[in-house]
Amino acid sequence: MLNVHNLSVAFGGEYLFEEISFRLNGGDRVGLIGKNGAGKSTMLKLLAKEMPLDEGAIATEKNIKIGFLKQDIDFEEGRTVLEESYQAFSEIKEMELKLDEINTALAERTDYESDGYHQLMVDLNDVTHRYEILGGYNYQGDTEKVLLGLGFKREDFDKLTDTFSGGWRMRIELAKLLLQNNDVLLLDEPTNHLDIESIIWLEQFLRNFTGAVVIVSHDKMFLDNVTNRTIEISLGRIYDYNKPYSQFLVHRKEIKEQQLSAQKNQEKQIQQTERLIEKFRAKSSKASMAQSLIKKLDKMDRIEVDEEDNSVMNLRFPVSVNPGKVIAELNGISKSYGPKKVLEGIDLMVDRGSKTAFVGQNGQGKTTLAKIIVGELDYQGDLKIGHNVQLGYFAQNQAEYLDGNKTILDTMIDAANEKNRSSVRDILGSFLFRGDDVDKYVKVLSGGERNRLALAKMLLQPFNVLVMDEPTNHLDIKSKNVLKQALQNFEGTLILVSHDRDFLQGLTDRVYEFKDGGIKEYLGDIDFYLEQRKMEDFRSVEKGDQKKEEKTQEKPKENDYHTQKKQKSLKNKLSGVEKKITELEKEIADIDHDLLMDYDTTISKPDFFDNYEGKKKDLESLMEDWEHLSHKLEALD
């Protein structure tokens, strides 16, 4: 599908990576990992042919379609969400215009027996057939499904894209990419602007995608749930294994241990051989043997141990002063944006030393309440901040507040005070900004580097309460682990808004779920919260529409037993029907693909149309069976 051979890229005379090779095949779901600055986004741009090659080659199969989700997007103003999403179907839209033109011409003509009229009828048939093969009768429904999966509501469809934030516009761009029927998907941080429910929907979509996917992501759980292969870029080399991220780490560790062991044994062998050479050199009768051993050493392939880039930032959040027992008390807090009420009657007590997580779908008020607590938004209700409370706030878009025309060093010096100005370089060093790096301008930094600088800058201000809104965006996995460790060791009070499931685990002692303007408290960590809600994943958590199961120690009644037996039978039947539907849909999709690639050869097959229409009718019948079984199962539930 796509072949990379001896690829090298250099910046300022230094190689980012050198002579690397790998191949992408259909069904590969690759996690492209590495530290910030290792070259991941550069690799995606090269694969998407958005950057010229320095050395090497990238070969692709003929007519292959590559879709690339970039971090920077540019929308044409004046389109609605649906209109922008429909841009994914450029050929279908062209067919629609042709159909309109042909139908208009047919309506205006009365020379029904003429050659021109006959040609219009032929054109109408050809264009209609092409329109159907391209999915012209399905694309609107498909678009709505993808938009709903990515968190949009139906009332959003007719709103202008100009009225949405950058994060929501990125979702539209992702929707277009998923709808384009690409052969290869290149995704650069696709989960950065998604809530947990949308992430889980995207995981399912990508697992069912038949082409090749290359994902740059720092979401460990997302990589584990989606990928079946990992390529790490480290110190100019790549390490490529057919394993998801966590298994890859274990495998890499085992390989390194084997290399170290083999290298140790080889060193012993070399030392023993060198001792023999020295011994034989002293005797003229053994000189030829010494020369033989020297040649043997020269020809020996020395075992090398893979180098690792283990440089990580050194992060610690010191507590400024000891605050009172109550950090903040909120009574009847409400907030509206125009006619939309986001929060209504919120009562919340934040105690000293508590570690709190805010979870829920985007738009439910998590960030709004965080901003109210730190004093960045007006509100209705009563908010009391406790004695000696000093708030530190890391906003979701904290890096955007940095001045791009300042250097890293100037950014820190301007934010420092007399007490800590002399420590600026030491702080920068602990965040991996060393030597000449401090003279770089902020505007040339990557997203991860900007986030690290924003964290470093925050340490220049005193605080004992830390409010952080999506702090892990753009941070690489190692940096995220360092941040998580620092927050676990933080002796102050923490309020954390995050959609990163792996990051949240073991970090908080209470959870607030935001839904429909209100909040619900769970006294425990994320795992406890999930256990209490009897849910296996965050999709169910954020839908929040399931009823609680009543706990009982009683044995099942006889009628319950029969009901469960019927449910099990129906579920088995439903599963069988779903499997047949999936197989039949794939067969029909393959035929549609053959029609697109070679129409004449495909239709020349014996009984082609009878077979094709038969499969469609079978699919309709199976869908009816599925609906019937689903209704019966719902009735039993």
Side-chain angles (χ1 to χ4, degrees), residues 302-479:
R302 302 297 175 107
I303 295 171
E304 294 183 359
V305 178
D306 293 339
E307 289 185 73
E308 285 190 61
D309 189 352
N310 290 314
S311 55
V312 293
M313 61 182 182
N314 179 23
L315 182 54
R316 188 175 67 87
F317 294 113
V319 174
S320 53
V321 293
N322 201 32
K325 187 176 181 181
V326 176
I327 298 300
E329 186 176 354
L330 291 76
N331 293 299
I333 297 294
S334 298
K335 176 64 181 177
S336 299
Y337 295 99
K340 184 179 180 181
K341 183 154 280 191
V342 178
L343 298 172
E344 186 170 10
I346 300 296
D347 297 327
L348 175 65
M349 180 85 75
V350 181
D351 299 321
R352 181 181 63 207
S354 60
K355 302 285 195 294
T356 304
F358 287 175
V359 302
Q361 290 178 313
N362 284 353
Q364 293 294 330
K366 305 184 298 293
T367 294
T368 296
L369 190 60
K371 287 184 174 181
I372 287 172
I373 291 172
V374 299
E376 287 206 356
L377 282 179
D378 58 357
Y379 56 90
Q380 293 78 48
D382 185 35
L383 167 63
K384 294 179 181 176
I385 298 297
H387 176 66
N388 266 352
V389 168
Q390 295 179 332
L391 292 160
Y393 179 48
F394 189 90
Q396 188 173 145
N397 57 342
Q398 188 74 36
E400 295 176 14
Y401 292 116
L402 300 172
D403 187 344
N405 293 317
K406 286 184 179 180
T407 65
I408 293 173
L409 184 59
D410 288 342
T411 298
M412 292 289 285
I413 288 174
D414 291 347
N417 54 43
E418 290 182 4
K419 291 182 179 179
N420 56 30
R421 189 166 287 120
S422 60
S423 304
V424 161
R425 284 187 178 271
D426 291 335
I427 295 172
L428 284 174
S430 69
F431 280 80
L432 304 182
F433 296 113
R434 295 165 183 152
D436 294 338
D437 288 343
V438 300
D439 296 321
K440 286 182 181 177
Y441 282 94
V442 171
K443 60 186 175 186
V444 304
L445 301 180
S446 67
E449 288 171 328
R450 290 188 186 204
N451 255 26
R452 280 195 274 122
L453 179 57
L455 282 168
K457 183 181 174 185
M458 192 174 69
L459 291 182
L460 295 172
Q461 306 302 320
F463 57 82
N464 47 33
V465 178
L466 194 49
V467 181
M468 305 192 87
D469 190 358
E470 303 290 5
T472 61
N473 282 355
H474 302 294
L475 287 182
D476 60 47
I477 294 175
K478 287 183 178 178
S479 296

Side-chain angles (χ1 to χ4, degrees), residues 32 100 108 213 233 235 241 267 287 353 376 412 444 462 560 604 618:
L32 185 62
D100 286 342
E108 292 173 350
V213 188
I233 303 176
L235 300 173
Y241 298 102
E267 283 297 324
E376 287 206 356
M412 292 289 285
V444 304
D560 289 340
S604 65
D618 290 343

Side-chain angles (χ1 to χ4, degrees), residues 383-589:
L383 167 63
K384 294 179 181 176
I385 298 297
H387 176 66
N388 266 352
V389 168
Q390 295 179 332
L391 292 160
Y393 179 48
F394 189 90
Q396 188 173 145
N397 57 342
Q398 188 74 36
E400 295 176 14
Y401 292 116
L402 300 172
D403 187 344
N405 293 317
K406 286 184 179 180
T407 65
I408 293 173
L409 184 59
D410 288 342
T411 298
M412 292 289 285
I413 288 174
D414 291 347
N417 54 43
E418 290 182 4
K419 291 182 179 179
N420 56 30
R421 189 166 287 120
S422 60
S423 304
V424 161
R425 284 187 178 271
D426 291 335
I427 295 172
L428 284 174
S430 69
F431 280 80
L432 304 182
F433 296 113
R434 295 165 183 152
D436 294 338
D437 288 343
V438 300
D439 296 321
K440 286 182 181 177
Y441 282 94
V442 171
K443 60 186 175 186
V444 304
L445 301 180
S446 67
E449 288 171 328
R450 290 188 186 204
N451 255 26
R452 280 195 274 122
L453 179 57
L455 282 168
K457 183 181 174 185
M458 192 174 69
L459 291 182
L460 295 172
Q461 306 302 320
F463 57 82
N464 47 33
V465 178
L466 194 49
V467 181
M468 305 192 87
D469 190 358
E470 303 290 5
T472 61
N473 282 355
H474 302 294
L475 287 182
D476 60 47
I477 294 175
K478 287 183 178 178
S479 296
K480 277 168 52 175
N481 291 338
V482 172
L483 175 59
K484 183 173 181 176
Q485 185 66 50
L487 292 177
Q488 286 173 329
N489 295 333
F490 178 51
E491 295 179 357
T493 306
L494 175 66
I495 297 174
L496 183 62
V497 181
S498 178
H499 66 254
D500 191 318
R501 294 159 290 175
D502 178 69
F503 185 72
L504 282 172
Q505 287 178 335
L507 194 50
T508 61
D509 53 29
R510 69 185 65 193
V511 175
Y512 287 97
E513 181 185 26
F514 284 64
K515 184 175 174 62
D516 298 330
I519 61 173
K520 185 171 182 180
E521 182 183 40
Y522 292 83
L523 293 175
D525 64 6
I526 291 296
D527 293 332
F528 172 78
Y529 162 60
L530 293 172
E531 182 186 334
Q532 290 298 300
R533 293 293 301 269
K534 296 291 182 185
M535 299 175 186
E536 295 180 355
D537 56 43
F538 273 78
R539 175 189 292 282
S540 302
V541 169
E542 293 190 339
K543 281 184 176 176
D545 56 3
Q546 277 117 342
K547 297 178 181 178
K548 286 186 178 179
E549 296 179 9
E550 292 184 1
K551 293 183 179 179
T552 176
Q553 300 298 321
E554 298 176 9
K555 292 182 179 179
K557 296 178 182 177
E558 191 67 27
N559 60 340
D560 289 340
Y561 172 76
H562 289 302
T563 300
Q564 290 171 6
K565 196 172 181 182
K566 286 179 183 177
Q567 284 176 324
K568 187 175 180 181
S569 175
L570 282 171
K571 285 178 180 177
N572 288 337
K573 289 179 182 177
L574 195 63
S575 178
V577 171
E578 287 174 346
K579 185 178 179 182
K580 290 178 182 177
I581 288 172
T582 301
E583 290 172 353
L584 206 50
E585 284 179 335
K586 187 178 185 306
E587 289 176 16
I588 293 171

Side-chain angles (χ1 to χ4, degrees), residues 185-250:
L185 290 177
L186 308 174
L187 307 178
D188 194 358
E189 296 288 0
T191 65
N192 264 3
H193 301 286
L194 300 183
D195 54 46
I196 294 170
E197 183 177 350
S198 300
I199 291 173
I200 294 171
W201 179 90
L202 179 60
E203 287 175 353
Q204 185 62 42
F205 183 98
L206 293 176
R207 281 198 295 266
N208 294 330
F209 181 68
T210 56
V213 188
V214 182
I215 304 166
V216 171
S217 177
H218 300 138
D219 186 330
K220 176 185 170 185
M221 194 172 290
F222 179 73
L223 289 173
D224 280 341
N225 290 342
V226 172
T227 62
N228 55 18
R229 179 179 171 190
T230 301
I231 297 178
E232 180 185 19
I233 303 176
S234 177
L235 300 173
R237 296 180 60 190
I238 65 165
Y239 302 90
D240 184 358
Y241 298 102
N242 290 321
K243 295 178 181 296
Y245 178 72
S246 292
Q247 293 180 30
F248 164 82
L249 289 183
V250 173

